[in-house]
Amino acid sequence: AISAYSYSKSGLSDDNNMHSDVQVSNTVTPVKTTQLALPEHTNNVWNMKPFELPDTKGNKHRLKEWQGKVIMLNFWASWCAPCQFEIPRFVRYQQKYAKDGLQIIGIGLDESDKLKNVERSLEMNYPTLVIAQDEGAHLLERWGNKQNIVPYTAVINTHGTIVYIHRGALQDDDFNEFVLPLLSTGEH
């Protein structure tokens, strides 16, 4: 089962608006790490087995399409309140930093129509690739998320190295510390 949680200064809080097939975990500690060992024994995404997924319009994509960019690969679901909480922030990052090499890519663990509704409602300006929840759980595990927690974000530098992972809603401080220095801006 895929679980959702949010993290606040007071600690872990449940997402009470969860999809009925999903269990909420109260035992997950929020994780921010630059140390990552993936099941495929690499932290370089170009050395991993590639995946191909459709976007919400049905067009197939591979991660390699964005090679050379700083990628924020964000796993999310339409029923996940913390996911929807962070999306407007991601829209702002994509708008402001696309010219500096940032590419946010959502991996939606849900039905395409539900993901489209969120995309439309939150005016998402970056692609969402679609995968069913059961298949998504396997993909999350391949990306180092054995607990199947969403939201889950992997930050990939221009060379394909995963330099940071984040379980839970990513905050501005996290972006400024772990993503912004990778971009070709004058702000660091």
Side-chain angles (χ1 to χ4, degrees), residues 75-164:
F75 293 84
W76 67 281
S78 66
W79 46 261
C80 169
C83 300
Q84 291 189 36
F85 178 77
E86 75 180 351
I87 287 173
R89 203 175 298 121
F90 288 4
V91 167
R92 182 170 35 94
Y93 299 153
Q94 186 64 45
Q95 171 84 32
K96 185 172 182 178
Y97 297 108
K99 68 186 180 320
D100 300 314
L102 178 66
Q103 181 59 62
I104 299 173
I105 303 162
I107 304 284
L109 307 163
D110 215 332
E111 297 169 20
S112 184
D113 287 344
K114 292 178 181 178
L115 297 169
K116 283 182 199 178
N117 287 338
V118 174
E119 280 183 325
R120 188 174 34 257
S121 297
L122 298 179
E123 299 178 358
M124 292 173 68
N125 58 356
Y126 56 89
T128 296
L129 307 183
V130 181
I131 190 167
Q133 282 188 25
D134 56 340
E135 295 171 36
H138 297 295
L139 189 58
L140 278 166
E141 288 177 22
R142 281 186 48 207
W143 281 82
N145 186 349
K146 291 179 184 176
Q147 298 86 5
N148 293 318
I149 298 295
V150 293
Y152 179 81
T153 302
V155 177
I156 304 161
N157 72 15
T158 56
H159 304 290
T161 303
I162 300 171
V163 295
Y164 178 66

Side-chain angles (χ1 to χ4, degrees), residues 7 30-34 72 86 89-90 93 153 155 164-182:
Y7 180 71
V31 173
K32 300 178 186 183
T33 184
T34 56
M72 288 176 57
E86 75 180 351
R89 203 175 298 121
F90 288 4
Y93 299 153
T153 302
V155 177
Y164 178 66
I165 61 167
H166 190 95
R167 289 182 185 96
L170 193 119
Q171 304 295 323
D172 285 337
D173 290 346
D174 304 312
F175 180 86
N176 293 338
E177 183 176 352
F178 296 103
V179 181
L180 193 58
L182 303 173

Side-chain angles (χ1 to χ4, degrees), residues 6-32:
S6 61
Y7 180 71
S8 65
K9 291 183 181 179
S10 62
L12 195 61
S13 67
D14 292 347
D15 177 1
N16 294 321
N17 299 318
M18 302 271 307
H19 188 274
S20 60
D21 295 338
V22 178
Q23 300 171 4
V24 175
S25 173
N26 290 317
T27 59
V28 176
T29 303
V31 173
K32 300 178 186 183

